[in-house]
Amino acid sequence: MEGVKNMKTALVLGAGGFIGSHMVRRLKSEGCWVRGADLKYPDFSISFADHFVIADLSVYENVESIIDPMGIAAFDEIYQFAADMGGAGYIFTGLNDSQIMENSALINLNLLRAQSRLNAKYDINKTKIFYSSSACIYPDYKQLDVDNPGLKESDAYPADPDSEYGWEKLFSERMFLAFNRNNKIPVAIARYHNIYGPEGTWDGGKEKAPAAMCRKVIQAEDSIEIWGDGEQTRSFLYIDECIEATRRLMESGFTGPVNIGSEEMVTINQLAEIINKYANKNLSLEHIAGPLGVRGRNSDNNLINSKLGWAPNESLSDGILRTYDWIAEQVKNSNK
Ligand code: NAD
């Protein structure tokens, strides 16, 4: 790590994943020295990190050694993206609940414990930690109507997330805030709302609606299957916008939790039609039973707008066409 002393340093946990690998790229473009850590390297590109550690972050000793950069005392910033993650097909079936809760809670706990001990060891407190929470923390009873007016941050309580994934995220938000209060660790917390774009998972069962729908349209001849009646609503945020908002949050003095999402709400049927139209196909929509999640979800961006002056620039259809082109390339190369 010679020559690093005068550079900003960052650690990205989950750097082999979708958002983490994009964040590494962004931090490198800003001139940071970056260490990435994950169970795996990124699936769709090389990592741009200066140093990449393959490790299981649910094991405390691994986190302890990864967060100690040796020679520069501590990282300036840590981005915590590592978690068990997926679309409705992974999160809402109930089959993966214990794995999701155990793995993600251990990673978050290990990070906060290790950072507290590192700070005590060197008698410093300079590392700011970003935590990626989720719109899945919002209570089911605020999302029963397809015409969701937008979830405000204060809607989180009284809590009643509709999945164990959401409960773990809410617990971990509180844990980051507790270490901020009692151990004075600077933190920033965002609640992401459906991030999508190139280099996101597009098949295998963990993909989310935009990627799944692009893949189905690309592969279909006559019709595509949609879970439920397709009238459930969501908003989707393009990856570059997510990275920009996250960097702005980290540069600000605002802790959050704050929504990072889009307010352009669509039904799943409308999402399918946008993709159908772009692909120039006339596929019919076949509605089948499947895991659904909440009935209506949208982001309310008033808080982030007032604190950071941020709002997304890009329309859903613009982001979808770039994602579609990328997935079409993946499908072609994989012969699926
Ligand atoms: P992702 O699955 O692509 O990335 C998560 C990464 O964490 C994966 O590469 C995985 O290998 C790694 N990981 C999991 N367990 C690990 C362990 N024990 N040790 C080391 N690495 C481990 O997911 P993503 O879409 O990039 O999401 C990043 C974060 O943002 C996650 O915490 C997710 O819950 C949160 N989030 C994402 C979205 C979204 O729409 N993508 C929405 C809300 C919140």
Side-chain angles (χ1 to χ4, degrees):
M1 301 213 22
E2 272 312 299
V4 175
K5 285 195 171 71
N6 297 324
M7 294 170 83
K8 180 168 136 183
T9 58
L11 170 65
V12 178
L13 303 178
F18 171 46
I19 303 175
S21 58
H22 280 271
M23 182 55 81
V24 167
R25 207 173 294 175
R26 169 68 181 258
L27 291 166
K28 282 308 301 168
S29 77
E30 292 181 22
C32 295
W33 188 91
V34 182
R35 173 181 289 166
D38 202 302
L39 289 167
K40 62 175 183 65
Y41 292 108
D43 292 327
F44 307 110
S45 63
I46 55 145
S47 175
F48 285 65
D50 297 279
H51 182 210
F52 200 105
V53 185
I54 296 286
D56 183 350
L57 301 170
S58 69
V59 177
Y60 178 75
E61 290 70 24
N62 292 341
V63 178
E64 194 178 54
S65 70
I66 287 165
I67 68 155
D68 187 344
M70 290 177 294
I72 55 164
F75 284 99
D76 294 311
E77 295 179 351
I78 296 180
Y79 292 82
Q80 192 339 48
F81 296 113
D84 255 322
M85 172 62 188
Y90 186 74
I91 286 179
F92 299 121
T93 58
L95 298 173
N96 307 300
D97 288 349
S98 64
Q99 161 69 16
I100 288 170
M101 295 187 97
E102 179 188 354
N103 185 45
S104 300
L106 277 174
I107 296 170
N108 293 322
L109 185 56
N110 288 343
L111 172 58
L112 288 164
R113 177 192 275 180
Q115 190 63 50
S116 299
R117 290 183 181 176
L118 187 89
N119 288 350
K121 178 171 144 192
Y122 293 121
D123 192 22
I124 49 165
N125 197 357
K126 71 167 193 167
T127 308
K128 183 167 184 176
I129 304 182
F130 171 79
Y131 176 56
S132 51
S133 183
S134 166
C136 289
I137 65 97
Y138 286 112
D140 202 20
Y141 61 82
K142 289 269 177 191
Q143 303 172 86
L144 299 174
D145 191 346
V146 291
D147 291 321
N148 194 310
L151 292 155
K152 295 190 292 296
E153 287 75 357
S154 56
D155 288 335
Y157 296 98
D160 186 24
D162 75 325
S163 66
E164 303 300 1
Y165 169 82
W167 277 107
E168 189 284 325
K169 287 284 183 195
L170 194 59
F171 162 75
S172 289
E173 278 190 7
R174 298 189 70 98
M175 191 160 61
F176 277 91
L177 291 171
F179 275 78
N180 175 250
R181 276 196 310 279
N182 299 153
N183 302 49
K184 307 293 173 229
I185 294 179
V187 303
I189 302 171
R191 293 175 182 157
Y192 288 154
H193 289 242
N194 293 315
I195 314 304
Y196 74 99
E199 301 188 12
T201 305
W202 59 274
D203 74 346
K206 282 191 163 185
E207 64 279 17
K208 305 185 92 185
M213 214 72 82
C214 285
R215 188 202 66 230
K216 287 178 187 181
V217 168
I218 291 161
Q219 293 172 328
E221 305 281 326
D222 312 304
S223 66
I224 58 167
E225 291 182 343
I226 303 237
W227 288 341
D229 64 5
E231 291 303 310
Q232 61 272 34
T233 51
R234 294 291 184 277
S235 69
F236 302 94
L237 184 71
Y238 191 67
I239 181 68
D240 294 359
E241 311 254 30
C242 165
I243 297 292
E244 173 64 22
T246 305
R247 286 290 301 118
R248 283 203 204 183
L249 177 61
M250 280 295 269
E251 293 296 309
S252 78
F254 184 48
T255 298
V258 67
N259 289 331
I260 292 186
S262 160
E263 294 180 328
E264 187 185 346
M265 187 173 72
V266 291
T267 68
I268 298 299
N269 289 333
Q270 284 168 335
L271 176 67
E273 286 309 337
I274 291 171
I275 299 168
N276 224 342
K277 195 168 151 208
Y278 178 65
N280 214 3
K281 289 191 173 182
N282 201 15
L283 304 171
S284 58
L285 308 184
E286 191 188 331
H287 295 103
I288 59 161
L292 296 175
V294 295
R295 188 69 177 147
R297 173 174 291 163
N298 194 10
S299 180
D300 177 314
N301 287 351
N302 281 316
L303 184 62
I304 194 161
N305 209 292
S306 69
K307 295 286 181 186
L308 308 181
W310 177 85
N313 294 312
E314 180 127 17
S315 70
L316 178 62
S317 47
D318 284 348
I320 283 290
L321 64 89
R322 281 204 287 280
T323 309
Y324 181 95
D325 288 349
W326 180 80
I327 293 177
E329 198 61 31
Q330 306 307 306
V331 171
K332 199 169 94 194
N333 294 340
S334 69
N335 295 320
K336 283 189 180 168

